[in-house]
Amino acid sequence: MKKKRQADMKLMYVFLTFILSTPLTCFAQKGYEAGYVVLSINDTLHGTVKDRKDHPFGGLYKRIKFKNKRGKRTYRPNQILGYKRGESLFERMWLSASKGFLNQNYRVFPGVGKQHFLKVVHKGFLSYYYWEFEDDDSGYIDRVGYFKKQGDSSLVRVSQGIFGLRRKSLAKFFDDCPELAMKIRNKTIHNPIEIVQFYNAWKGEN
């Protein structure tokens, strides 16, 4: 029994020694994922990218952290056009709020408003983005979905939390595609991906 206890203590000591010695090695890489950054001059630098703090505390960085063989750098939105982290792609946009009481839509004009990184969900005639942000109460990362048509400056919010699609504003946004607008009003289309697929298929034929 005594020998077993000594063996257990020795194992515990080895384990604790490993935990205490790893932060400067293994844990130093935590949160970085393979990817790239696209500089404002359109050069692409490949390496590893980190844009948020690790859970359980979470949080988004104001600057994108980047590492490659040449060293480490951080980038502000005005320094890069976008970046890729793992399988997630982000684009930089100039966003200014549209006029109107409690309006949650935005306009995209270079040099107007503030620069933000938006996560690309789908790219096409109709693009679908997530605007990620830190929740004020929990500190965790939340997101809001937006649609943008190719060649259009409008960025329109897709849904309203638990209330689902913002059908009235979306039907107006898609007045160039009456069939889709009707499906949105009649609730025969149920989620953002269905809207993206329908509009891009329609646009490809017209």
Side-chain angles (χ1 to χ4, degrees):
M1 188 70 178
K2 185 176 181 180
K3 290 183 179 181
K4 184 178 184 304
R5 187 177 300 167
Q6 290 176 339
D8 290 341
M9 292 295 293
K10 185 177 181 180
L11 183 62
M12 181 62 71
Y13 175 78
V14 171
F15 176 75
L16 289 174
T17 301
F18 172 77
I19 291 296
L20 294 174
S21 64
T22 50
L24 297 178
T25 55
C26 298
F27 294 162
Q29 304 298 322
K30 191 174 181 182
Y32 280 88
E33 295 187 58
Y36 58 78
V37 295
V38 182
L39 303 181
S40 295
I41 57 174
N42 270 319
D43 283 350
T44 300
L45 304 180
H46 292 268
T48 57
V49 179
K50 185 175 183 180
D51 64 353
R52 62 199 64 204
K53 301 174 186 175
D54 303 316
H55 288 300
F57 303 105
L60 296 170
Y61 291 129
K62 292 183 178 180
R63 298 188 181 194
I64 306 305
K65 297 185 176 184
F66 175 77
K67 295 194 300 184
N68 63 9
K69 293 180 180 179
R70 296 184 178 182
K72 301 179 181 180
R73 283 207 62 177
T74 60
Y75 293 99
R76 297 186 300 273
N78 67 331
Q79 294 178 300
I80 58 177
L81 299 174
Y83 65 95
K84 186 176 183 182
R85 176 185 55 82
E87 298 300 317
S88 299
L89 181 65
F90 295 81
E91 283 185 19
R92 184 194 72 189
M93 288 190 187
W94 283 92
L95 301 180
S96 56
S98 297
K99 293 181 180 179
F101 181 65
L102 294 180
N103 199 328
Q104 294 176 305
N105 298 333
Y106 290 85
R107 307 288 286 180
V108 182
F109 291 116
V112 179
K114 294 183 178 181
Q115 297 178 85
H116 298 274
F117 290 117
L118 271 62
K119 183 177 180 180
V120 180
V121 182
H122 184 88
K123 193 79 172 174
F125 294 110
L126 177 68
S127 295
Y128 182 26
Y129 297 95
Y130 286 147
W131 189 345
E132 297 182 317
F133 62 93
E134 290 183 40
D135 181 77
D136 292 333
D137 296 324
S138 67
Y140 279 84
I141 299 170
D142 204 346
R143 66 191 185 192
V144 175
Y146 285 90
F147 285 147
K148 184 181 182 300
K149 293 177 185 175
Q150 190 177 77
D152 194 332
S153 63
S154 298
L155 197 69
V156 175
R157 183 164 178 170
V158 176
S159 60
Q160 190 68 43
I162 61 173
F163 300 104
L165 296 174
R166 302 181 76 213
R167 295 185 179 276
K168 186 176 180 180
S169 62
L170 289 177
K172 184 178 180 180
F173 183 65
F174 291 109
D175 59 3
D176 60 326
C177 182
E179 186 179 355
L180 176 57
M182 183 179 295
K183 285 179 177 291
I184 292 172
R185 291 192 188 97
N186 295 342
K187 300 184 179 181
T188 55
I189 202 160
H190 306 290
N191 61 65
I193 295 300
E194 288 181 342
I195 293 175
V196 169
Q197 292 172 341
F198 189 100
Y199 186 85
N200 284 331
W202 172 80
K203 193 69 175 177
E205 297 173 357
N206 293 275

